[in-house]
Amino acid sequence: MSNKGYPRTVFWLVWSIALLPLLVASVAYFSGWRPAEQITEGELYPPGLTLADLQLENKELAAEGNWQLILLVDKTCADECRYWQTLLPNLHASLGKDRDRLLWQQVDSNEQGAGLLLADPRGFMVTRYSLSLPPKAVIKDLKRLLRISKVG
């Protein structure tokens, strides 16, 4: 029995097994496939959109270095806005050790409509939450984001 071809076969078998996941991932990426579900509860903003692009009336929103949770209040928002106004300090406190990484504030806005906005420490918009979402969903997203994020 000859073993001359055996090392070469093992070599190519190991390489093919190692490169197979890379090949499958490349095909999935370049074909445009995306997972059907998303983890976040809110609506993700397109990449590159900043706080300045939203043209909010409050100029103090440019506080870079911390994550920012912004409550947008408009004239049509009544009960939900009051509910979130009283809830935000408690939501902020529930973040525990990460609460110093998140600033929250309220802004009057008629063009954007009512909602919660999340901006990263560099001023880029991340997520918009509807005020009809339960607070636990927002807290879950914030805790996951602050745990994973190394900035801010």
Side-chain angles (χ1 to χ4, degrees), residues 75-143:
K75 293 177 183 174
T76 62
C77 176
D79 293 335
E80 286 181 330
C81 288
R82 276 193 296 263
Y83 173 70
W84 278 96
Q85 287 170 345
T86 59
L87 185 73
L88 275 176
N90 297 333
L91 184 139
H92 187 254
S94 70
L95 293 175
K97 65 177 179 154
D98 289 327
R99 71 177 169 265
D100 295 335
R101 296 175 61 195
L102 179 76
L103 299 176
W104 64 272
Q105 53 194 312
Q106 177 181 328
V107 174
D108 293 328
S109 173
N110 294 325
E111 295 104 25
Q112 298 290 328
L116 277 173
L117 307 180
L118 180 65
D120 75 359
R122 295 178 299 177
F124 290 104
M125 298 307 301
V126 178
T127 311
R128 179 184 179 99
Y129 296 101
S130 168
L131 295 182
S132 62
L133 273 177
K136 286 186 178 185
V138 177
I139 291 171
K140 182 181 173 186
D141 274 1
L142 288 173
K143 284 184 176 183

Side-chain angles (χ1 to χ4, degrees), residues 18-34:
L19 292 177
L20 184 64
L22 181 64
L23 179 67
V24 170
S26 298
V27 168
Y29 178 77
F30 290 114
S31 70
W33 178 83
R34 298 288 182 262

Side-chain angles (χ1 to χ4, degrees), residues 45-72:
Y45 277 102
L49 186 67
T50 64
L51 266 171
D53 294 337
L54 294 181
Q55 299 175 347
L56 298 174
E57 297 165 5
N58 192 346
K59 300 297 181 191
E60 297 176 14
L61 293 175
E64 292 189 9
N66 286 325
W67 290 90
Q68 297 180 54
L69 188 62
I70 303 159
L71 175 63
L72 294 179

